[in-house]
Amino acid sequence: MTGIVILNYENWEDTRRCMESIRRYPPRDAYVVLLVDNASRTNPAYDLQDLLRACRAQLVRNERNLGYNAGNNAGIAKALALGCAYILVANNDICFCKDSIWKMTAYLKRYPKTGIVGPKILDIRGRLTRNCLCQKTGLTEKYLVRTRLHVLFPKRYARYFGYDRDYEKRFRVYAVHGCCFMMSRACAEAVTPFDEYPLLYEEELMLGIRMEEAGFTTVYYPAAVVRHLHGGSTRYQKAFSFAHNVRSEIYYCRNYLHVGHWQIRPLYIYRVLLYLIRCIRYRDFRERLKWFLHMTGQEMRK
């Protein structure tokens, strides 16, 4: 049986579209949908129980919004308890295309040494998204690839994100995009629960390291196709998202790369400058400036 974990926070319309796409293109094998609500403060405008019944879904309610990893952990734990052999993790702003879920399941069945498989991701306009991480993200990549310095290192940048790869063919990667991927049960038992300290971001980087340590491979598989609306839960909270991105980056560098404070500080200063630039244009950045400096500064001092 395949367990499909859908994480929801507030944007119930995206959740409805996601679940209806599963209903339209269900897996060929037995499956169960596990809708995890991360303590939404609002209720959907439709009858949620009707949607759950129509989509063979169970509702898992978290008492607090603890973020992406903690929310998915609740769904994954439920899927493992139900005996699922494969677990699909997806944001609620994903829409599945014909046979996409079944093709990921079939791939993991055929190649048991592969722990995670990720689909081809199309954006809302149907354009291909090239965002696999083809290398481990070390401190060098943090500075030379994940800042504006990447314009000075175009080949390194292309290799890191796989821009030099043919995205119409499958290939092994270090990590796939966290918005949608499928794990085998053996892999899930080895690499979960996910690290719950970050509220948002850096999840793929951390998971890539756990996969490497556990000896599982990750594969991008374009025969399976999904559409991604992008940022359904955070698109109206850009300052909030930016701040948590910085906080998670500091945590990742310290706890997964095991680098010292002095090695992280220039990167932190760069992120603060980016935030200040956004303050000129965006009101929400200005309103959250003190909170941003307090939260990220506190993380730097640990």
Side-chain angles (χ1 to χ4, degrees):
M1 182 167 64
T2 299
I4 305 172
V5 179
I6 307 296
L7 186 62
N8 175 80
Y9 178 68
E10 297 295 357
N11 53 331
W12 292 101
E13 280 304 308
D14 283 350
T15 294
R16 180 183 57 79
R17 282 189 290 268
C18 177
M19 292 179 65
E20 287 182 348
S21 73
I22 298 171
R23 183 184 180 189
R24 190 177 306 116
Y25 302 119
R28 299 186 187 182
D29 298 336
Y31 71 95
V32 59
V33 178
L34 299 166
L35 174 60
V36 181
D37 181 53
N38 242 353
S40 294
R41 294 165 295 179
T42 60
N43 294 315
Y46 50 83
D47 190 319
L48 180 59
Q49 293 304 317
D50 282 350
L51 180 66
L52 294 173
R53 283 192 293 270
C55 298
R56 303 185 192 178
Q58 299 180 25
L59 180 63
V60 179
R61 287 194 183 273
N62 289 335
E63 294 182 359
R64 290 191 297 152
N65 179 13
L66 298 177
Y68 173 91
N69 280 351
N72 281 318
N73 280 340
I76 293 168
K78 180 69 172 179
L80 291 173
L82 292 173
C84 293
Y86 305 97
I87 301 172
L88 174 61
V89 176
N91 289 3
N92 66 338
D93 54 2
I94 290 290
C95 284
F96 295 93
C97 300
K98 185 178 180 180
D99 285 338
S100 56
I101 300 173
W102 173 78
K103 286 178 180 178
M104 286 187 276
T105 304
Y107 189 92
L108 291 176
K109 287 182 178 179
R110 185 176 180 183
Y111 300 101
K113 290 186 179 180
T114 299
I116 288 179
V117 61
K120 177 198 292 187
I121 300 173
L122 305 178
D123 67 16
I124 194 170
R125 297 181 181 178
R127 298 172 299 190
L128 174 66
T129 302
R130 299 171 180 263
N131 53 11
C132 290
L133 302 182
C134 294
Q135 299 175 354
K136 178 180 178 180
T137 305
L139 195 62
T140 300
E141 287 72 29
K142 276 292 182 184
Y143 278 101
L144 302 186
V145 176
R146 299 184 75 100
T147 70
R148 291 297 296 173
L149 285 175
H150 74 79
V151 299
L152 302 177
F153 305 93
K155 291 184 179 179
R156 181 187 288 270
Y157 183 75
R159 287 196 302 271
Y160 178 81
F161 285 109
Y163 294 152
D164 56 346
R165 306 284 188 96
D166 183 353
Y167 270 69
E168 297 304 320
K169 298 179 180 179
R170 69 177 183 181
F171 52 87
R172 183 174 173 177
V173 299
Y174 196 80
V176 291
H177 198 292
C179 69
C180 183
F181 61 91
M182 183 179 285
M183 299 183 287
S184 66
R185 181 182 183 88
C187 178
E189 290 175 336
V191 303
T192 67
F194 300 141
D195 189 333
E196 296 188 359
Y197 183 81
L199 185 74
L200 295 167
Y201 303 112
E202 305 289 287
E203 303 96 348
E204 298 98 335
L205 282 58
M206 297 175 192
L207 180 55
I209 290 177
R210 287 196 174 189
M211 289 287 290
E212 185 177 48
E213 292 173 347
F216 286 98
T217 59
T218 303
V219 171
Y220 164 77
Y221 186 48
V225 182
V226 302
R227 291 181 179 269
H228 188 201
L229 182 61
H230 287 287
S233 297
T234 59
R235 59 179 177 264
Y236 302 120
Q237 303 182 61
K238 294 185 182 298
F240 176 86
S241 300
F242 189 102
H244 279 284
N245 200 343
V246 174
R247 177 177 181 262
S248 296
E249 182 174 62
I250 297 167
Y251 176 80
Y252 170 78
C253 289
R254 187 176 62 245
N255 292 276
Y256 286 80
L257 301 183
H258 307 292
V259 297
H261 182 275
W262 64 273
Q263 294 169 291
I264 306 173
R265 177 158 288 278
L267 184 63
Y268 173 62
I269 293 172
Y270 170 80
R271 302 299 185 204
V272 171
L273 290 174
L274 288 182
Y275 189 97
L276 293 175
I277 290 171
R278 284 163 173 78
C279 285
I280 298 172
R281 183 175 180 182
Y282 300 110
R283 179 179 177 180
D284 63 327
F285 278 79
R286 294 192 296 272
E287 291 176 344
R288 290 180 177 265
L289 176 58
K290 290 184 179 179
W291 169 77
F292 166 79
L293 293 173
H294 173 75
M295 183 182 71
T296 58
Q298 190 176 47
E299 192 66 37
M300 278 295 296
R301 291 189 291 272
K302 289 184 179 178

